[in-house]
Amino acid sequence: MTSFRFLHAADIHLDSPLHGLSRYEGLPVNEIRSATRAAFDNLVQCAIDETVDFVVIAGDLFDGDWRDMGTGLYFAKAMGRLDHAGIPAFLLAGNHDAASVISRTVPWPPNVRLFGSRRPETHRLPDILVAVHGQSFATQAVTENLVLAYPPGDACTFNIGMLHTALAGRQGHADYAPCSVDDLRSRGYDYWALGHVHEFEIVSTEPYIVFPGNVQGRTIRETGAKGAVLVDVAAGEVTSVERIELDVIRWARLDVDCTGAQMDEVGNLLRSALVGLHGSNASGRPLIARVTLTGETVHAGAVRDGAATLRDDVRAIASSISADLFVEKVRVEVTEPARTTVAVGEDLGAMIDDAATDPDLVAAIGRDLERFILAASTSLGEAEDGELRLSAARGDWAGVLGTASTALRSRLTRAG
């Protein structure tokens, strides 16, 4: 067998829409919106620069039916760049771009080979003795084991299986096309190019069974580096599987421990944590963080009471550290110690503690504030997570009273 190399990617989700991110002040909305295309441009350029022999994309190239023809035209142009470089591209449809979902089409360049959805198909590259086997999703929710119908591997050929699956299950991913590692091994293939799971994972090395992860994180649920894998093969054996980072924006979670902190120390803790996060970002890519304040402090009520101002302060601190450091949300999850000595009378303290569980008070608060919440949403726009008016808008009056009670206790304590 000859030596060759290929690029394995999945879960591109081209032009996936933003879900509510535009309402968060200061986020680079245009850059986030175009990030999937920019990452895919990086993938195409990587394939050209690394002179790969072919590219495989194991499902969810698209994020659903196109809103307009621009998505298809962009993809055709990107595939044209590969075609001019003499690089074939093998595609199969996953749950987001199943045959039942994508209704629009454009003529693809001749290097694009899309697997059908009725049964497994095989495409061959005879010059390098490669056979690529795969089956696209016919519908969004494929619940049967597709692998068992895949053909046995060709003799004297390097066999690649492409499949969009969560295997026997992966947290946060629907159990589409379920199968086991033993099912995959039973086909006698040399490499399984999987898709659907958005985290990079080498499931097995005998044979190689690989999730490359998605090429670009799109929300805070998809943190860290994203990209594809570059696979080298010599004499019929995989000699290396190298992860290639292709993303243009990174997402990160930042927990700031405020245990025992005084109110005037919180800002310094936040600045120190954000400086550390920025310093650890060796990639140099723009970073979007969700900041969560945790820990126990007697000033928990005051911190919660000033949450709106705190969000603005955190974003200002981030901007002062770097023009490429952004804060998506700030969650205030600090709590009071189990036993806190406060200068509040026993009767008043008991009333404050019981407020959130008093059904009559909860109902009365809901009635009294309903019109105010409606007016606030009209004049101030949508509330961010963690704001009291968001809890109120959802009818969580017990949650509103719980937060307000903690803040009231803190204010009374500070007042002596």
Side-chain angles (χ1 to χ4, degrees):
M1 291 186 183
T2 58
S3 299
F4 59 89
R5 61 186 356 195
F6 64 94
L7 197 61
H8 167 202
D11 301 287
I12 314 297
H13 294 279
L14 277 177
D15 294 343
S16 58
L18 303 183
H19 298 287
L21 290 178
S22 58
R23 73 173 184 262
Y24 297 114
E25 188 68 31
L27 287 187
V29 174
N30 292 334
E31 288 83 351
I32 298 172
R33 183 176 287 112
S34 62
T36 56
R37 288 196 184 191
F40 194 69
D41 287 341
N42 288 345
L43 186 150
V44 171
Q45 191 60 50
C46 175
I48 295 170
D49 292 344
E50 297 291 343
T51 61
V52 302
D53 293 273
F54 56 94
V55 173
V56 296
I57 300 177
D60 287 355
L61 168 64
F62 303 112
D63 194 61
D65 205 6
W66 311 336
R67 287 173 292 176
D68 55 55
M69 293 298 292
T71 300
L73 294 174
Y74 162 77
F75 178 67
K77 182 178 180 180
M79 289 298 97
R81 291 177 60 199
L82 289 182
D83 190 35
H84 294 323
I87 300 173
F90 298 95
L91 317 175
L92 58 76
N95 54 295
H96 280 272
D97 49 8
S100 63
V101 173
I102 302 297
S103 62
R104 304 169 186 263
T105 61
V106 296
W108 304 137
N111 64 321
V112 176
R113 298 159 194 194
L114 175 65
F115 288 92
S117 59
R118 293 187 178 183
R119 63 184 66 86
E121 297 176 349
T122 300
H123 295 288
R124 292 178 174 82
L125 294 170
D127 291 347
I128 54 174
L129 297 177
V130 169
V132 186
H133 314 274
Q135 181 178 353
S136 290
F137 278 23
T139 62
Q140 283 182 285
V142 173
T143 56
E144 65 267 27
N145 186 341
L146 300 179
V147 172
L148 300 181
Y150 276 47
D154 289 357
C156 301
T157 299
F158 188 90
N159 292 273
I160 298 173
M162 294 178 62
L163 183 66
H164 200 73
T165 179
L167 291 181
R170 289 294 187 279
Q171 185 175 6
H173 296 84
D175 293 334
Y176 295 142
C179 63
S180 68
V181 170
D182 285 342
D183 291 335
L184 299 180
R185 287 175 177 154
S186 72
R187 301 298 89 192
Y189 297 171
D190 303 285
Y191 184 97
W192 275 97
L194 305 186
H196 184 50
V197 175
H198 288 194
E199 296 295 328
F200 169 68
E201 181 182 357
I202 297 179
V203 179
S204 167
T205 58
E206 295 181 357
Y208 272 93
I209 301 171
V210 179
F211 286 108
N214 55 340
V215 298
Q216 172 60 58
R218 299 167 300 148
T219 71
I220 194 62
R221 294 188 299 274
E222 300 173 346
T223 57
K226 299 294 179 180
V229 293
L230 181 65
V231 183
D232 282 288
V233 178
E237 299 288 338
V238 174
T239 56
S240 73
V241 175
E242 179 186 358
R243 193 182 187 198
I244 305 294
E245 297 178 1
L246 301 170
D247 52 344
V248 295
I249 294 175
R250 295 257 167 103
W251 298 80
R253 295 180 183 270
L254 179 64
D255 291 341
V256 181
D257 186 1
C258 298
T259 298
Q262 301 296 312
M263 188 60 191
D264 58 2
E265 295 173 337
V266 173
N268 290 334
L269 289 173
L270 284 164
R271 178 176 291 278
S272 177
L274 286 166
V275 167
L277 178 66
H278 176 64
S280 66
N281 181 26
S283 72
R285 290 168 172 81
L287 199 62
I288 303 175
R290 175 175 292 183
V291 178
T292 302
L293 277 67
T294 64
E296 291 186 351
T297 170
V298 295
H299 299 284
V303 175
R304 288 178 175 273
D305 198 23
T309 300
L310 189 61
R311 274 188 289 272
D312 293 336
D313 291 347
V314 172
R315 287 173 176 145
I317 292 170
S319 297
S320 70
I321 294 170
S322 171
D324 286 329
L325 180 61
F326 307 92
V327 174
E328 175 236 20
K329 294 180 185 177
V330 179
R331 292 186 179 276
V332 180
E333 297 181 0
V334 293
T335 57
E336 293 181 311
R339 294 183 179 181
T340 304
T341 302
V342 294
V344 178
E346 290 185 5
D347 291 343
L348 179 57
M351 290 176 62
I352 293 173
D353 290 339
D354 295 342
T357 58
D358 185 330
D360 294 334
L361 180 58
V362 168
I365 289 292
R367 289 193 301 271
D368 292 345
L369 293 183
E370 186 174 9
R371 291 184 179 180
F372 168 77
I373 294 301
L374 178 61
S377 64
T378 302
S379 60
L380 299 178
E382 294 185 64
E384 292 192 24
D385 283 357
E387 287 191 38
L388 279 181
R389 61 191 181 98
L390 182 60
S391 298
R394 293 171 174 169
D396 181 16
W397 298 109
V400 171
L401 277 170
T403 301
S405 297
T406 302
L408 176 59
R409 179 183 286 275
S410 178
R411 289 189 181 193
L412 291 173
T413 301
R414 294 200 306 272

